[in-house]
Amino acid sequence: MPDKPGGFESGAGEAPLFRVEGAGFALAGRVILEPMDLSLEAGCVHGLIGPNGSGKSTLVKLLARQASPHCGRIAFAGKPIADYGDRDFARRLGYLPQTPPPTDGMTARELITLGRYPHHGALGRLSRNDRSSIAQAMAKTATEAFADRPVDAMSGGERQRVWLAMMLAQGADCLVLDEPTSALDVAHQAEMLKILRKLCDDHRHSVVVVLHDINMAARICDRLIALKGGRIVADGAPAAIMRAETLREIYDVAMGVFARPGDGAPVSYVA
């Protein structure tokens, strides 16, 4: 995975995936996100890290158009985010919240099929292209084996893969996920993040993901953006963030870093 410097821009003449200019968010008079500037590049995995209450979930809601900034502006693929129609935006960006909505007894295949709604509406019949998109989404997430099982009866890791498949069935090139591994065991966390990394490497998907495990984040992300108190306090390649002094600034706890045997990748621990 190549290192990429923090604060980077897309190539010359190419609009960044997201451009945030002076955007902030307040709720009931309380500032959740201070006005910030941020540019995210297409075709990368961006990890949002930081302590609880730092504004990570609020930021992804703004990027996914689940909330509107109280100041500033946000552009997606070179166009003001508010200017997209709902179905057009859904064809470009898939969003997975911390708590997905109820599935009401649907099978995995039925849930994944809902991802085609932005393309044909509620009453449209599935076309050959729709079926192909659904099959490809299931193949990329290895969900074919339990396609006909109720989502409610699946393990947490299986459910998260089904939701990811639904996002891919939308045809969205940009995936925004809020803590998709928080309820998973270590094995399923690693599996989910491996899929996200592969989607970026093999299929040029862009990913913005909120993660709590800093070591997992450093392993799969091209860039880490750390928030604290509603502000960006660190931004850069994992190697630049995974330093004892930087991690202490982010988390307010003494931390150490060592090189992992074999590949030398940085691994953090509470000192």
Side-chain angles (χ1 to χ4, degrees), residues 156-157 161 180-195 211 213 215-217 219-220 260:
R161 281 158 55 195
T181 62
S182 61
L184 306 183
D185 60 36
V186 173
H188 284 103
Q189 287 182 37
E191 181 181 51
M192 182 70 170
L193 296 178
K194 182 179 179 180
I195 291 173
L211 294 169
D213 188 323
N215 290 319
M216 288 279 196
R219 185 173 182 177
I220 71 115
R260 186 171 59 203

Side-chain angles (χ1 to χ4, degrees), residues 136-147 158 161-162 165 191 195:
Q136 289 178 32
M138 294 173 70
K140 290 175 182 177
T141 54
T143 50
E144 304 101 324
F146 42 83
E158 290 170 340
R161 281 158 55 195
V162 169
E191 181 181 51
I195 291 173

Side-chain angles (χ1 to χ4, degrees), residues 99-223:
T99 305
T103 53
D104 297 325
M106 284 188 289
T107 65
R109 190 187 308 276
E110 289 169 339
L111 179 59
I112 294 167
T113 297
L114 289 182
R116 298 306 296 168
Y117 169 79
H119 297 268
H120 56 61
L123 301 178
R125 293 185 177 182
L126 291 179
S127 66
R128 180 180 298 178
N129 184 58
D130 290 326
R131 293 189 178 90
S132 175
S133 295
I134 292 166
Q136 289 178 32
M138 294 173 70
K140 290 175 182 177
T141 54
T143 50
E144 304 101 324
F146 42 83
D148 297 316
R149 284 171 50 195
V151 177
D152 294 340
M154 294 178 179
S155 70
E158 290 170 340
R159 282 196 300 272
Q160 290 297 72
R161 281 158 55 195
V162 169
W163 280 105
L164 179 57
M166 191 202 74
M167 296 164 68
L168 294 176
Q170 289 177 221
D173 290 327
C174 177
L175 307 175
V176 178
L177 307 95
D178 191 357
E179 298 187 35
T181 62
S182 61
L184 306 183
D185 60 36
V186 173
H188 284 103
Q189 287 182 37
E191 181 181 51
M192 182 70 170
L193 296 178
K194 182 179 179 180
I195 291 173
L196 292 177
R197 183 70 250 175
K198 186 175 178 65
L199 287 171
C200 178
D201 291 340
D202 295 352
H203 305 286
R204 293 298 293 167
H205 283 280
S206 304
V207 178
V208 181
V209 57
V210 176
L211 294 169
H212 274 298
D213 188 323
I214 181 63
N215 290 319
M216 288 279 196
R219 185 173 182 177
I220 71 115
C221 294
D222 297 301
R223 178 181 173 191

